[in-house]
Amino acid sequence: MNKTQLKNNIMALEITDANFEETVLKSDKPVMVDFWAAWCGPCRMVGPIIDQISEEYDGKAIVGKLDVDANQEFAAKYGVRNIPTVLVFQNGEVVGRQVGVAPKNAYSEAIDALL
């Protein structure tokens, strides 16, 4: 597989209850977390956008997805009641929240504001 093919297959990082603290709360970079579930239609619309942002901000920010069905601890902790919900963290604190589907620039602007 050449580098171009590899680059096109970049997916957002899988975030779980087990790695949340290390990956999100202790990060020195801005972190965007997409709280989603496989059965959620709107989540499937946001997923590819999050993957694109993950690729575009590689090295500058951490972008990941948390499956709320498999990982309920942090979804509950941050009051995620509707999905998709995208939270943006900086220095372990929530600094942005987008509930529902939004255009790509809404997500990228949230990261840009922190860089």
Side-chain angles (χ1 to χ4, degrees):
M1 189 179 292
N2 68 34
K3 207 168 187 174
T4 308
Q5 285 173 309
L6 193 64
K7 190 167 169 53
N8 291 337
N9 289 333
I10 289 181
M11 300 284 284
L13 184 67
E14 185 180 349
I15 296 175
T16 64
D17 284 346
N19 72 9
F20 194 94
E21 191 168 334
E22 195 61 42
T23 306
V24 179
L25 303 181
K26 294 184 177 173
S27 174
D28 57 356
K29 296 180 177 128
V31 184
M32 177 171 279
V33 182
D34 174 21
F35 290 81
W36 72 286
W39 50 264
C40 161
C43 297
R44 289 196 293 273
M45 293 164 62
V46 171
I49 296 171
I50 297 298
D51 288 338
Q52 286 174 6
I53 289 175
S54 173
E55 187 175 336
E56 288 168 21
Y57 288 88
D58 188 34
K60 293 184 272 190
I62 294 171
V63 180
K65 299 176 181 181
L66 184 140
D67 180 341
V68 296
D69 285 340
N71 303 279
Q72 297 174 357
E73 180 186 345
F74 286 96
K77 180 175 180 181
Y78 291 104
V80 174
R81 290 181 188 83
N82 300 304
I83 53 174
T85 291
V86 175
L87 298 182
V88 180
F89 292 82
Q90 187 168 38
N91 302 320
E93 299 293 319
V94 176
V95 295
R97 176 183 293 255
Q98 173 66 52
V99 180
V101 179
K104 183 180 172 192
N105 67 323
Y107 303 107
S108 47
E109 284 168 9
I111 296 176
D112 287 341
L114 302 174
L115 295 176

